[in-house]
Amino acid sequence: MALMHEPTAPYHSAQDALRVLETVAQHAAGVTGGELSRATRLGPERLTALLRMLRREGYVEQGGDGAYVTGDALARLGSARGRDQALRDKIQQNLDRLRDTVGAAVYISRYIDGEVEVTHYADGPTTPAVHEWVDFRYSAHATAVGKSLLTQLDHNARRDHLARHRPARLTSRTITSDRVLLSRLAAQPPTVPVLDLQEYAIGTVCAAVPITAGSAVGCLALSLPVEHAHRLRRAADQLNRSAAPVLLSLAI
């Protein structure tokens, strides 16, 4: 399967954060901000923002002398024993925080062996998850999650998916034409959230942004009741800006 990845802002943030983490890990006795700046070639403002995120996530800690060392969260993820549970806990923690920040149910989805799979989500009493009335594996053409994943594939892989899962009309807004759908997928800018305006289910609107971790195709998404549709674009932009910690936890 060929991919069409184009790095987004969260991807660059996660990559820069990984560079900082790698440098910190190389200095068991601690490393100063100035040393980090020289080693990573990141400017003071950029480095300060990344260190703030890494400290909040527990990946680095700052000692009394001002030097940075690796934190407990990184140690747990780096341990062979309990790594999987630590990773699940970290991702869920990030999603719970993101749900509260954007005021919407949020999801991580991956394209695995040619199928759409929602791997993690966070919802709540005031942020209900989408009711999966049609299996997400068969409705990629109608969901923000599915369309975001398909945009990250090349043209042949998209056609293959649609040949295996024929676009069915789920609402009056659903696109069922392969030609129209493929055209829209090809024209979708990678930095602009993909929207679902009641294409999957009446009463729900959704948005999704790509998250690239290695060669895996993934996306981060949110859903809102249609009465909150006026918040969708603002929430989607906020989702995109806040994706770096989630992407970082997947990349470590």
Side-chain angles (χ1 to χ4, degrees), residues 39-119:
T40 60
R41 298 183 180 179
L42 294 169
E45 185 175 344
R46 176 69 166 163
L47 180 59
T48 297
L50 291 171
L51 285 170
R52 187 183 303 118
M53 178 182 74
L54 292 171
R55 290 178 64 189
R56 185 186 68 228
E57 296 296 322
Y59 294 135
V60 302
E61 297 173 359
Q62 189 173 22
D65 60 355
Y68 295 93
V69 295
T70 55
D72 289 342
L74 187 63
R76 286 194 296 272
L77 290 177
S79 171
R81 183 178 182 180
R83 171 182 162 76
D84 289 346
Q85 185 60 51
L87 179 59
R88 286 194 293 271
D89 291 346
K90 190 61 179 173
I91 291 173
Q92 193 62 52
Q93 180 187 72
N94 283 327
L95 288 183
D96 289 347
R97 184 191 304 133
L98 193 54
R99 173 201 60 205
D100 297 340
T101 298
V102 302
V106 292
Y107 316 78
I108 292 177
S109 185
R110 310 295 286 273
Y111 197 71
I112 302 172
D113 296 329
E115 302 295 349
V116 172
E117 183 177 335
V118 175
T119 57

Side-chain angles (χ1 to χ4, degrees), residues 18 30 33 64 75 78 84 89 110 139 149 212 220 250:
L18 283 174
D84 289 346
D89 291 346
R110 310 295 286 273
S139 54
L149 296 175
T212 306
L220 186 61
L250 294 172

